Amino acid sequence: MTLDPTDRRIVTATQSGLPLVPRPYAQIAAELGIGEDEVCTRMRALQSSGIIRRIAVAPNHYALGMTANGMSVWDVDDARVAELGQKIGDLDFVSHCYERPRALPHWPYNLFAMIHGTSREEVEALRAEVAAILGDACDGNDILYSTRILKKSGLRLRQQKG
């Protein structure tokens, strides 16, 4: 699927986030001079084709009081990483969880789970819950605490001339 001019305008209008109004798609439609139904239909098609992977909230955890944020990393048995990763990702205190290849010999970790809390003590307690779920399928772990907020954004399309 390629982006036709209307799809491109929709992606450009939404790439910095949806408007914070009761009917964001209606506002986008009004801005683009098309119908709300057309915006919704085209966005569903863009999702189905994989051009838009997901529509999600990206909270500022610091503004929410979650000032201790740590990416926990785990060395999990490859045969069980998918099954256990799903369980860890389902925990309400894990915002995102994914598998990555190890970078041996220096980086043995293959499962990553972001844990948010109001203090490092809270995050460490939550990390212990993760460790208990992983049990003997885990050979080691560590945590990398955030020290600042980096830019969070997805792909940005360049404005077309004309």
Side-chain angles (χ1 to χ4, degrees):
M1 179 177 188
T2 58
L3 285 178
D4 71 16
T6 302
D7 289 338
R8 186 176 185 85
R9 290 173 56 219
I10 291 170
V11 170
T12 301
T14 59
Q15 65 189 2
S16 295
L18 295 175
L20 298 176
V21 297
R23 295 180 58 203
Y25 300 109
Q27 182 172 319
I28 292 164
E31 291 170 8
L32 301 180
I34 59 177
E36 181 180 10
D37 289 345
E38 183 176 355
V39 170
C40 292
T41 299
R42 285 177 174 267
M43 288 192 73
R44 278 193 294 272
L46 292 167
Q47 274 193 283
S48 293
S49 69
I51 291 175
I52 295 175
R53 286 192 303 170
R54 63 188 174 119
I55 298 170
V57 174
N60 178 339
H61 293 92
Y62 286 87
L64 296 171
M66 310 297 267
T67 56
N69 305 295
M71 177 60 76
S72 62
V73 293
W74 308 86
D75 178 6
V76 178
D77 179 348
D78 288 325
R80 300 192 58 205
V81 69
E83 161 213 344
L84 292 168
Q86 183 66 50
K87 288 182 180 178
I88 303 307
D90 288 344
L91 296 169
D92 62 1
F93 57 83
V94 172
S95 64
H96 49 288
C97 178
Y98 48 89
E99 179 184 1
R100 283 209 166 158
R102 294 177 173 89
L104 297 173
H106 304 294
W107 189 259
Y109 309 111
N110 60 344
L111 183 67
F112 295 64
M114 190 69 183
I115 301 172
H116 302 277
T118 57
S119 68
R120 286 191 178 199
E121 292 78 20
E122 178 185 4
V123 170
E124 289 300 328
L126 297 170
R127 184 173 161 213
E129 288 184 39
V130 173
I133 293 169
L134 297 175
D136 63 2
C138 181
D139 287 333
N141 69 87
D142 204 342
I143 191 162
L144 311 166
Y145 282 100
S146 300
T147 56
R148 60 188 168 137
I149 298 174
L150 301 175
K151 179 181 175 186
K152 290 181 174 180
S153 67
L155 173 68
R156 298 283 190 258
L157 295 179
R158 217 179 307 163
Q159 294 289 333
Q160 289 189 323
K161 296 178 181 172

